[in-house]
Amino acid sequence: MPKMKTKRAAAKRFKKTATGKLKRSKAYKSHILTKKSTKRKRNLRKAAMTDETNVKNMKKVLPYI
């Protein structure tokens, strides 16, 4: 059976933590920043964990990560 291919778009967006969880960056931080408050932009900088409902699908997309 051939090797599975990693979806490169997903590999660029997700990193695996030491405990095996998937870390992601938050959305809504790329443009139209003038109307967003400083507090909101600061909280968008922080990384977030992928929700448990999506982890099963993400493991299929990222077989070797």
Side-chain angles (χ1 to χ4, degrees):
M1 187 163 173
K3 290 187 215 176
M4 292 175 70
K5 280 192 175 180
T6 299
K7 298 290 181 274
R8 297 310 299 163
K12 291 168 190 172
R13 288 165 173 79
F14 296 90
K15 297 282 179 259
K16 196 175 226 183
T17 61
T19 55
K21 293 180 181 178
L22 289 171
K23 188 169 73 169
R24 64 173 178 85
S25 58
K26 292 181 181 176
Y28 307 108
K29 184 66 174 75
S30 58
H31 61 101
I32 315 174
L33 298 172
T34 52
K35 62 175 80 168
K36 294 170 188 156
S37 68
T38 309
K39 181 181 178 181
R40 184 173 163 194
K41 289 187 277 191
R42 185 170 60 242
N43 286 328
L44 288 172
R45 278 186 223 143
K46 299 173 187 171
M49 293 298 152
T50 305
D51 196 67
E52 288 299 317
T53 56
N54 298 322
V55 168
K56 187 180 174 185
N57 289 331
M58 294 311 302
K59 298 275 175 159
K60 285 181 185 174
V61 170
L62 303 165
Y64 304 109
I65 290 179

